[in-house]
Amino acid sequence: MEKSLLRMLISFSEEDRKNLEEIRSLLTEGELNKVSEEFATFLKEKLGVSVDNLEGEIFEYLKNSLNCKADYSLAEEVYKSGVDIPEFIASYGKLFELIREVLKPKVEPERLNELCLSLAKHTLLDIASVADYIIEEHFETFIRFFEENPDPILIIDENFKIFYANNTFSEILKIDKPKGMKLKELFPERYLSHYELLCKACREKISGSFDRVVYLTNRKLGITKPFKLSFEHVKLKNKDYIILDLRDAEEELKREKERENLSILYGLISELYKVLLEETNLNRLFFKMVDAFVRKGIYTYAAVIRTDKEVKVAEEGIPTDYSVCIPFYREYALVLTKNEPFYNTEVDLIRNFLSELSDIIQSFSLEGKLKELRFYDPVTELPTRAFFVSALSDMIREADKKGERVGLIVLDIDNFTAINGLYGQQTGDRVLKEVADGLKEIVRLEDILARIGADTYAIAFVSKDPFEAANSLITRIRTKFIKPIKVDGHSIPITFSMGVAFYPDDAKDGEQLIAHATQAMFEARKLGGDTVIFYHRDTKRDIEKMFILRNELQKALKEKEFVLFYQPKVNLKKGKIEGAEALIRWVRKGKLVPPYEFIPILEESGLITEVGLWVLEEAIKQISQWKSKGINIEIAVNLSAVQLRSVKHLEIIIKTLQENYDAVPYLGFEITETALIENISTASVFLKLVSELGVKVYIDDFGTGYSSIAYLKTLPVYALKIDVEFIRNIDKDEKDYEIVKTIINLAKNLNLKTVAEGIETKEHEKILKELGCDYGQGYYYSPPVPPEKFEELYRKFAK
C-alpha cells in the first residue's frame, strides 16, 4: 500500500528541509540532551510510557529528524509499549513547546514560527509511518486516527457505498448514520456528472486529487456544501476501500469570486478614468459612471444621489439585497447594490476611486474659466499657450517649495503641412483632435497638456528624476502612436519631433524652459523627424555627439565594451537576497557611460535587439557561474518595447532559452506595463511560451500605465514591480501610500508577488513590510554593482 493519507496530505518542501538544518545548527548537544530528558519525564509521568533508555531514544530521534533523516523507532517503541497512540501524538505539543523555548532567545518570533512549523511537518510524516503499521495490525486504532480529524473523512467500499464517516463529516452535513448510504445519494441532481467523473478517477488511480469542486448535500435538510477532494485506495481486513478526504472549499470559492470581481472592477475603474479625461459636464459624467457600473455585470443597481436634497442625480438598474453607500465630493454619494455581500477590498477600491474623482470634479470649474478667458482651444479641447505659460509658472513655484524638478516635452507633428495640403484643413483639424485625445490618455492627471502652436503640443510634469520620467513618457507616446490613426477614411501615420528641457537645469523660468525645449524640438525636426533631442546649451554639438555615439555603440558591441551590473532583490520578510536585476553598463575608454546617455540611442537605432540578446546570454553565463559557487538566485533581464515588436527577435530568445534549459528556472523577464499593452497580441503568445519553459514574468514600472489591467488575469505574470515614483515619497505623501497599498492588495488578490523599486530609507522598508510587499530593490540595499561585488553582498545578507 502507498504511505498513509497523512503522508499524502503533508507538503514537505525544500524550504522545510533547510529550516530543520537551521534548527540543528542553533541547538547545542547540551540543549538537545536537556530537551530529551524533559520530554522523557513528561511521557513517563503523564502517559506512563515505559521504554528502556527513553531519553536516549528521544535524543537520537531529534538528531535524525533535524538532519532530515527518517526515524520511526521512537513512535513504534511507544506504540508497542501499549500507550494510547492518539494521546502520544498529542504529546508532541509538549516537545514543540520545549524546543520553542530553547530557540526563542535565538531567533525573531516570526522566524521561530516558520522553523517550528517545518519541525511539525516532519514529525507528522513520522507519525504517518506508524499509521501504516497500525493499519495492518489494528484496524480499530486506524479508524480512530480519523475520528477527530478537522477534515471530513469518508471511507467507501468498491461499490461506492459509505463504510465509515468521521465526526467532522456528520457535523457538517448533519447526517448521523451515513454508513450504508450510496455515495451517489450525497450528490445534488445537477452535479451527478461530477459523481460519475469521481468514480472513474477512483477506478483508474490508486490515489490523487479530484480536479473539480465537489458539492455534497443533505437532501432532507437542504444543506449543500462545496469540497475539494483527494482519494487513496487502502486494504482493510483484506478488503479494498477508498479513503475520501474532503476539504471545505467555501472560503476558497469566495476568494476566487472576489478575485474575479476585483479584476472586473479594476477594468471598470480604468475605463472610468478615461471618461474623466474626456467628460467635464458633471451630470453627463454621473450618468456615464452609473451606466458603467451596471453594464459590467457586477452590480444590479447604481445611483448618484444628492444627500442634502435626497435627490437621485443619475441611476441605472434595479436595487437588490446587498448595498453600500459611499459619500464623495461634498454632498454627493454613490449607491451600489448586488446579489451577494460586498468585499472589503472591493469597497476600499471604489472609495479610493471616488476620492480621486472628488479632486477631479473640483477642477471642472477651472475648465469652465478656460473657455471664458479664451485659454481653451476649440479644435483640440486643450488649454492654449497662454494658459500653459501661466500654469507652468505655478508648477515651477510648487516644485521649488518641494525640492522637485520640472520636465517639459514639446512635440511637433512631423509633416503636418503635407497632411493639411493632401487631405484638407478639415481633416487636418481632426488629426489634431485625434492626437490630442491620444495624448490625454497618456499623461497623468497632475501633468499639464496644452496645444502651444499650430501642430505643436507641450507636456509639463514634476518629478525628482525628470530624465527618467521623460523617457517613460516618450516611450508611452511612441507606443500610443505606433499605428496610423484613422481619420475620414484615411490611414495617417503619426510621428513627432520632440524637444526636452528641464528646470532648473536648463532654464531659470517657465518662458525660458519653453524656449529651450522648443529649440531642441527644431533640432530634432532638422534630423528628419521621429527624433528626440534633449536641450543643452550647445544643442548642435549634442546632435553631432549623438551620431558619434551611434557609431561607437556599434563598435562597442563588437569589441565587448558592454558589461552587466546587478542590483539585488531582497526578500523583505526574510531579509535575504533572492534575486537580481541585470543592468547594462558601457565601459568606454575605461569610464562608465551613464545608461541614460546610450540606451535611448540603442532603441532608436534598433541596436537594442542585438544588445538585448547579448544581455540574455551574459545573464545565463552568470547564472551558471554563481550556481557553481552556491549562489542559486534568479536574474531578471529587461525587455524593451522595441524587442517585443520583433517576432524574429522573440523567436531567437525562445531558441536561446531552449538551448540553456538548466538556467531557465533562474531567469526572469521584466517588461514595462506600457510596452506590454501596446504589443499585447505578440507579447501574450511570447510570455506564455517563456512561462511554460519556467521563466518568471515581471511587470515593470507598474502603476504608471493608463490601460485596462485585465491582462493580469490572462497572462502568466509572476510579480508586479511598483514604480519608483510611488515609493520615493511613500512616507510623506498619503496618495502615494494609498496607491502602493492598492497595488499590493491587487497583487495579493491575483496571487501575484510585488517588488518595490527605489527603496532608499529604513522607513521605506518598514512601510512596505507592513503593507505586505514581498521584495525590495533600491539604494538602501545597494546600487547596481559588478558580479564580484554582488557576491560579497549576497554573502553579507546570508549571515
Side-chain angles (χ1 to χ4, degrees):
M1 188 190 79
E2 294 286 320
K3 290 297 181 186
S4 73
L5 185 62
L6 275 172
R7 184 175 298 283
M8 183 181 74
L9 296 177
I10 297 166
S11 174
F12 193 81
S13 66
E14 183 61 29
E15 187 66 25
D16 292 315
R17 192 176 301 279
K18 291 178 181 177
N19 286 345
L20 289 187
E21 292 173 356
E22 184 175 339
I23 294 174
R24 182 69 186 91
S25 68
L26 291 169
L27 296 176
T28 65
E29 292 283 311
E31 288 169 337
L32 274 180
N33 267 316
K34 186 178 179 183
V35 168
S36 301
E37 290 170 2
E38 291 182 6
F39 187 51
T41 300
F42 175 84
L43 291 179
K44 290 174 183 177
E45 293 177 355
K46 296 295 182 181
L47 301 184
V49 174
S50 177
V51 173
D52 293 336
N53 190 25
L54 181 57
E55 293 87 351
E57 289 280 354
I58 295 171
F59 181 81
E60 288 302 316
Y61 164 75
L62 285 175
K63 278 209 319 184
N64 287 331
S65 292
L66 297 177
N67 286 321
C68 302
K69 295 179 182 177
D71 184 351
Y72 316 133
S73 58
L74 173 63
E76 289 181 351
E77 286 295 319
V78 171
Y79 172 73
K80 290 175 183 177
S81 72
V83 171
D84 184 270
I85 287 299
E87 287 185 13
F88 173 66
I89 291 171
S91 73
Y92 272 88
K94 177 65 175 179
L95 180 59
F96 294 151
E97 181 185 325
L98 292 170
I99 295 174
R100 187 183 184 91
E101 286 303 311
V102 178
L103 291 174
K104 191 182 291 184
K106 302 184 179 188
V107 290
E108 294 293 326
E110 189 173 349
R111 182 63 182 147
L112 178 63
N113 290 336
E114 293 174 358
L115 296 177
C116 286
L117 178 60
S118 296
L119 179 61
K121 287 183 180 180
H122 191 273
T123 304
L124 286 172
L125 289 173
D126 290 354
I127 293 167
S129 296
V130 181
D132 291 336
Y133 174 82
I134 296 171
I135 288 171
E136 295 174 6
E137 297 297 324
H138 294 274
F139 171 70
E140 293 302 326
T141 308
F142 166 69
I143 290 296
R144 288 183 62 188
F145 269 92
F146 299 111
E147 277 303 320
E148 303 303 328
N149 196 301
D151 285 346
I153 301 290
L154 289 177
I155 300 178
I156 58 174
D157 64 19
E158 58 188 6
N159 296 316
F160 294 91
K161 285 186 177 181
I162 297 174
F163 174 74
Y164 165 81
N166 71 348
N167 293 337
T168 310
F169 177 86
S170 298
E171 288 171 5
I172 290 177
L173 283 181
K174 309 299 180 187
I175 301 176
D176 290 335
K177 297 178 180 179
K179 186 174 181 178
M181 284 181 65
K182 293 180 180 178
L183 183 64
K184 186 176 182 179
E185 294 176 37
L186 295 175
F187 279 75
E189 289 290 335
R190 64 182 182 278
Y191 290 114
L192 285 178
S193 60
H194 289 188
Y195 168 76
E196 298 297 337
L197 290 172
L198 173 61
C199 293
K200 182 181 178 183
C202 290
R203 291 189 186 104
E204 292 176 351
K205 296 180 181 179
I206 294 174
S207 64
S209 297
F210 193 53
D211 61 358
R212 303 188 182 207
V213 172
V214 172
Y215 288 87
L216 300 183
T217 186
N218 179 331
R219 293 179 182 175
K220 289 183 179 179
L221 299 180
I223 299 171
T224 301
K225 295 285 185 180
F227 299 97
K228 284 283 198 158
L229 182 149
S230 57
F231 61 88
E232 182 178 14
H233 285 255
V234 295
K235 188 175 285 292
L236 305 173
K237 295 185 175 180
N238 297 318
K239 290 185 179 180
D240 291 322
Y241 293 92
I242 302 169
I243 300 173
L244 302 181
D245 181 77
L246 304 162
R247 285 186 298 104
D248 190 341
E250 201 156 3
E251 287 302 318
E252 187 174 332
L253 291 175
K254 284 181 182 177
R255 288 195 297 271
E256 185 177 334
K257 180 68 174 176
E258 182 179 4
R259 286 194 294 270
E260 289 177 3
N261 277 12
L262 287 175
S263 178
I264 297 171
L265 184 56
Y266 272 104
L268 166 62
I269 288 177
S270 179
E271 178 184 316
L272 288 175
Y273 276 126
K274 293 181 181 179
V275 172
L276 293 179
L277 294 172
E278 299 166 357
E279 185 58 74
T280 57
N281 180 281
L282 204 55
N283 286 336
R284 286 201 302 267
L285 172 62
F286 289 155
F287 275 108
K288 289 180 179 180
M289 187 167 77
V290 298
D291 174 70
F293 272 108
V294 174
R295 179 166 36 85
K296 285 293 181 179
I298 306 178
Y299 306 104
T300 56
Y301 174 80
V304 173
I305 61 174
R306 285 280 300 265
T307 55
D308 57 337
K309 298 180 179 180
E310 297 184 358
V311 173
K312 292 174 183 175
V313 179
E315 67 175 330
E316 188 72 35
I318 301 172
T320 48
D321 297 338
Y322 298 94
S323 67
V324 294
C325 180
I326 306 173
F328 70 100
Y329 187 62
R330 298 176 184 171
E331 68 276 8
Y332 290 98
L334 174 66
V335 176
L336 296 171
T337 75
K338 57 194 294 196
N339 291 319
E340 60 187 7
F342 283 77
Y343 303 104
N344 291 335
T345 49
E346 173 185 14
V347 176
D348 288 344
L349 182 59
I350 297 170
R351 186 176 284 113
N352 288 341
F353 164 72
L354 292 175
S355 174
E356 293 190 28
L357 173 62
S358 299
D359 293 339
I360 294 167
I361 291 174
Q362 288 178 350
S363 69
F364 284 176
S365 59
L366 174 62
E367 188 138 353
K369 293 176 184 176
L370 292 182
K371 296 179 183 178
E372 293 173 14
L373 299 173
R374 297 185 180 180
F375 280 176
Y376 180 81
D377 172 42
V379 175
T380 61
E381 298 179 359
L382 290 177
T384 60
R385 183 186 182 96
F387 171 79
F388 185 77
V389 171
S390 174
L392 180 60
S393 296
D394 292 340
M395 179 181 275
I396 287 174
R397 277 195 298 273
E398 287 301 311
D400 280 337
K401 292 177 185 177
K402 296 178 181 178
E404 295 177 323
R405 296 155 70 194
V406 176
L408 174 61
I409 301 176
V410 172
L411 312 88
D412 189 76
I413 302 175
D414 294 328
N415 305 311
F416 184 73
T417 303
I419 293 172
N420 252 350
L422 186 61
Y423 302 113
Q425 185 177 345
Q426 187 175 7
T427 297
D429 284 350
R430 288 179 180 169
V431 168
L432 292 172
K433 179 66 166 62
E434 287 291 323
V435 170
D437 290 345
L439 293 175
K440 285 178 186 177
E441 294 179 9
I442 292 167
V443 299
R444 301 174 302 178
L445 293 173
E446 61 266 32
D447 298 338
I448 307 171
L449 168 65
R451 180 187 180 190
I452 64 170
D455 57 340
T456 306
Y457 304 83
I459 304 171
F461 53 90
V462 174
S463 174
K464 285 192 174 181
D465 188 349
F467 188 91
E468 182 181 325
N471 273 326
S472 175
L473 184 52
I474 289 164
T475 300
R476 296 203 297 272
I477 292 169
R478 284 181 157 168
T479 51
K480 178 65 183 176
F481 294 98
I482 191 170
K483 295 179 181 178
I485 62 174
K486 307 288 185 180
V487 178
D488 295 339
H490 305 294
S491 184
I492 303 173
I494 298 293
T495 59
F496 300 97
S497 298
M498 289 186 263
V500 186
F502 304 117
Y503 170 88
D505 312 61
D506 304 323
K508 62 182 180 181
D509 55 34
E511 284 283 8
Q512 192 176 66
L513 187 62
I514 295 172
H516 288 170
T518 304
Q519 180 185 339
M521 180 273 290
F522 282 129
E523 297 297 341
R525 188 195 288 176
K526 290 177 186 177
L527 292 173
D530 196 15
T531 302
V532 180
I533 296 293
F534 286 79
Y535 173 81
H536 191 275
R537 288 180 178 81
D538 192 348
T539 302
K540 290 183 179 179
R541 188 169 67 193
D542 275 359
I543 295 168
E544 293 172 3
K545 179 183 175 183
M546 186 181 71
F547 280 112
I548 294 170
L549 273 176
R550 284 183 182 177
N551 294 330
E552 288 191 0
L553 285 168
Q554 289 176 322
K555 181 181 175 184
L557 184 58
K558 292 177 183 177
E559 299 186 1
K560 300 181 179 179
E561 292 179 356
F562 292 119
V563 295
L564 286 187
F565 277 25
Y566 298 90
Q567 187 171 33
K569 288 179 186 174
V570 176
N571 185 313
L572 293 178
K573 189 175 182 181
K574 299 178 181 178
K576 293 184 178 181
I577 295 175
E578 293 188 356
E581 181 180 358
L583 297 161
I584 191 170
R585 296 294 184 263
W586 179 18
V587 182
R588 183 175 62 164
K589 298 177 182 178
K591 294 183 179 180
L592 283 175
V593 179
Y596 62 79
E597 287 190 15
F598 67 88
I599 288 179
I601 299 171
L602 286 176
E603 293 185 338
E604 289 171 20
S605 64
L607 274 173
I608 193 68
T609 54
E610 291 180 65
V611 175
L613 286 174
W614 175 86
V615 169
L616 178 60
E617 291 166 356
E618 284 298 303
I620 289 171
K621 290 178 187 176
Q622 190 64 66
I623 287 169
S624 177
Q625 291 174 15
W626 277 344
K627 283 178 68 179
S628 68
K629 297 179 180 181
I631 302 175
N632 298 311
I633 64 168
E634 173 200 294
I635 296 178
V637 300
N638 292 278
L639 293 183
S640 72
V642 178
Q643 290 170 282
L644 288 175
R645 291 183 205 128
S646 172
V647 175
K648 183 178 179 181
H649 175 66
L650 298 181
E651 288 174 349
I652 296 172
I653 291 177
I654 294 290
K655 184 178 179 184
T656 303
L657 295 175
Q658 291 170 336
E659 292 172 350
N660 295 276
Y661 60 89
D662 287 341
V664 168
Y666 299 92
L667 271 174
F669 283 154
E670 296 192 6
I671 303 169
T672 65
E673 187 179 4
T674 304
L676 174 63
I677 292 299
E678 295 301 335
N679 299 277
I680 192 67
S681 57
T682 305
S684 61
V685 175
F686 171 71
L687 294 182
K688 285 175 183 175
L689 287 173
V690 300
S691 180
E692 287 172 3
L693 291 172
V695 177
K696 292 186 177 70
V697 177
Y698 294 79
I699 304 301
D700 202 5
D701 299 340
F702 187 81
T704 59
Y706 296 90
S707 304
S708 169
I709 57 174
Y711 66 86
L712 291 178
K713 183 179 178 183
T714 57
L715 292 182
V717 176
Y718 172 73
L720 307 180
K721 292 194 75 177
I722 306 170
D723 190 76
V724 64
E725 286 293 322
F726 304 128
I727 303 299
R728 186 173 286 119
N729 294 315
I730 192 173
D731 53 338
K732 302 180 185 72
D733 190 314
E734 187 175 341
K735 286 187 178 180
D736 283 346
Y737 177 89
E738 289 299 328
I739 289 171
V740 173
K741 178 182 176 182
T742 300
I743 292 172
I744 292 172
N745 287 337
L746 165 66
K748 286 179 180 177
N749 287 319
L750 295 175
N751 288 325
L752 303 179
K753 300 294 185 183
T754 45
V755 184
E757 298 184 276
I759 297 179
E760 296 179 354
T761 66
K762 181 70 176 175
E763 186 64 20
H764 287 170
E765 183 188 59
K766 179 184 175 184
I767 292 171
L768 290 163
K769 278 184 178 180
E770 291 170 352
L771 290 176
C773 185
D774 298 295
Y775 298 96
Q777 188 176 342
Y779 277 63
Y780 177 66
Y781 304 111
S782 170
V785 293
E788 57 276 9
K789 180 66 175 176
F790 186 92
E791 292 171 20
E792 294 176 13
L793 275 171
Y794 178 83
R795 294 189 178 95
K796 179 182 175 183
F797 272 78
K799 291 180 180 178

